[in-house]
Each structure stands twice: as C-alpha cells, then as structure tokens.
Amino acid sequence: MVTMILGEVANFAAYAFAPAILVTPLGALSIIFSAVLAHFILNERLHMFGVVGCALCVVGSVDIVLHAPMERRIDSVSEIWHLATEPGFIVYSCLAVALALVLMFWVVHHTEQRKMLAYIAICSLMGSLTVISVKAVAIALKLSFTGVNQFVYIQTWFFIVVVIICCVVQLNYLNKALDSFNTAVVAPVYYVMFTILTILANMIMYKDWDSQNATQIASELCGFVTIVAGTFLLHKTRHLGNTQPDPNSLRAECELEDHI
C-alpha cells in the first residue's frame, strides 16, 4: 500500500513536468514490472507470449518518449483556466459529462450485454477530465513551491473539486466493472479507452501537437498502438505460464500411445 501511494504521488508529480500525452501511455510500464515481479516473487511463470508483450510495451514506451512534444510553459493557474474555458474544451467537457450521465442513468440499467463497456466508458470519460484537473493542480503546487502562491486563486480550488468528484465516480464504476467482469478483459480495454480519451482531451486543451510535424505525431501513434498490443498480449496470455498438465490427461495419452 505504501509503495502504491508513493507511485501515485510520483505519477501526480509527473503531470507538472511533462505533457499528459507522454505521461499517460507510460502507465503501461507498471504492467511490465508487475509481470516480472510476479514471475520471481510469486512463482507465476511468465509465458513466452508474456515476454513478447513486455518487449512491445518497452518498445512503444521508448518510441513515445523519443517523439513526445515539449512541455508548454505555464506561469499561473490563470493561464490553465484560460485554456480550459476556450470553446473547444468547453464543448468536449460538456459532451463528456452528458455522455457519462446517459451511460450512468440509462445505458447501465437497460442493457446487460454492453454493461462492461458502459462502466469502462464512464471511467474513461471521467478519467480524461481527472487528468486535465490533476495537471492543473500539479502545476499550481509546483509554482507555489517556487514562491508564487497559486492557492489564492479560486480556479485552483475549482480544479481540486473536479479532481475529487471525477476520482470518486471513476473508482466507483471501475470497481463495478472489476467485480462483474474478468479483469483480463477489463484492464486492457480500460487502459486503451482511458488513454485515447486523455490524449484527445489534452490535444483539445493544451494543443500539444501544434509544435510537431506529421512524422513525430505518427511515431507517437505507432508507439501507442505498440503499447496497446503488448498490453493485450500480456493480459490475454497471463495464465498460460501457470497451467499445469493434468495427470489424468497424461495417463490417458500414455495409454492411448501404448494401445496404438
């Protein structure tokens, strides 16, 4: 629990120093460390496909790091508030909240087949707004530590309230998805949907890709797709390394060979 809290604090701090387009996809690296530690500590054998999945995540992460955009210089929370109140991001925020409410109060109660996707969509929509607000709070803390107090602005407290509300909703529906459906399916789908919506929200608000050319953007997208492929491969083959042959099946095969 302590190491998890430290990891989340470090992840929170990362948003103050790097664009979310870089920080969010790199969350897949936690999957690699979990798989490797489980292999050595919990004796959960890592299948060859799992090794390939880890390699894909590493390659994709390196690709994103090498081609990530530079962090935009921000000197106050007022600048972030100006970006957040531009028409493009206001439209995205309203659509995200409206769609999340429709999923919460109608789709979840009227369909069983798509309930998992509804839960994950709610988490991802709220998660994209969480990341935007977390980045604003992280930058406010960074500037405050340098001597420019940002907590005198009401906008900073507004972002804090948004973080709390979105986190509560996000955790609630993520727990519902994990309680009702297979983790091996929920985790990769949530990672992909959350990352896509987070990158989209940051593109609209911070316009991180304005300073990049088509080659750099394409390289980042390829890196993201590579991480997605590695994540799905890891989750889909996580049980292959732990399967033990059934003695009865082996005995039946031996008897069949003797008979033949």
Side-chain angles (χ1 to χ4, degrees), residues 164-233:
I164 294 171
I165 295 174
C166 290
C167 280
V168 170
V169 175
Q170 189 178 350
L171 290 174
N172 179 38
Y173 282 92
L174 181 59
N175 283 329
K176 288 184 178 182
L178 293 173
D179 286 340
S180 306
F181 303 97
N182 190 347
T183 305
V185 178
V186 172
V189 173
Y190 171 62
Y191 169 77
V192 173
M193 193 179 295
F194 168 71
T195 305
I196 289 174
L197 289 175
T198 299
I199 290 175
L200 177 62
N202 277 270
M203 283 172 53
I204 295 173
M205 180 169 168
Y206 290 102
K207 302 175 180 64
D208 289 324
W209 282 349
D210 284 355
S211 60
Q212 293 191 293
N213 56 41
T215 302
Q216 292 172 314
I217 295 174
S219 298
E220 290 172 32
L221 292 175
C222 289
F224 173 64
V225 172
T226 305
I227 292 176
V228 169
T231 303
F232 267 96
L233 191 59

Side-chain angles (χ1 to χ4, degrees), residues 37-184:
L37 290 174
H39 177 80
F40 290 105
I41 297 175
L42 302 178
N43 293 322
E44 296 181 2
R45 308 304 300 173
L46 190 60
H47 191 268
M48 179 55 67
F49 288 121
V51 175
V52 174
C54 290
L56 288 173
C57 288
V58 171
V59 171
S61 300
V62 171
D63 190 18
I64 289 177
V65 169
L66 290 177
H67 299 92
M70 297 296 294
E71 171 70 348
R72 181 173 184 158
R73 180 179 175 83
I74 295 177
D75 297 320
S76 70
V77 174
S78 299
E79 292 184 31
I80 304 176
W81 182 257
H82 175 72
L83 294 172
T85 52
E86 288 186 351
F89 188 72
I90 290 177
V91 170
Y92 173 83
S93 300
C94 293
L95 288 176
V97 172
L99 183 55
L101 291 174
V102 170
L103 291 169
M104 289 179 201
F105 296 106
W106 191 80
V107 176
V108 167
H109 300 290
H110 289 80
T111 180
E112 288 293 331
Q113 296 178 341
R114 297 182 178 86
K115 184 173 285 189
M116 186 194 77
L117 289 178
Y119 285 153
I120 295 175
I122 294 169
C123 296
S124 302
L125 289 166
M126 293 295 100
S128 65
L129 298 179
T130 302
V131 169
I132 293 293
S133 301
V134 162
K135 185 174 179 64
V137 176
I139 291 174
L141 283 171
K142 182 181 74 172
L143 294 173
S144 297
F145 286 142
T146 60
V148 184
N149 186 10
Q150 299 296 308
F151 289 90
V152 297
Y153 299 108
I154 192 172
Q155 293 94 329
T156 304
W157 296 102
F158 174 82
F159 285 123
I160 292 174
V161 172
V162 172
V163 168
I164 294 171
I165 295 174
C166 290
C167 280
V168 170
V169 175
Q170 189 178 350
L171 290 174
N172 179 38
Y173 282 92
L174 181 59
N175 283 329
K176 288 184 178 182
L178 293 173
D179 286 340
S180 306
F181 303 97
N182 190 347
T183 305

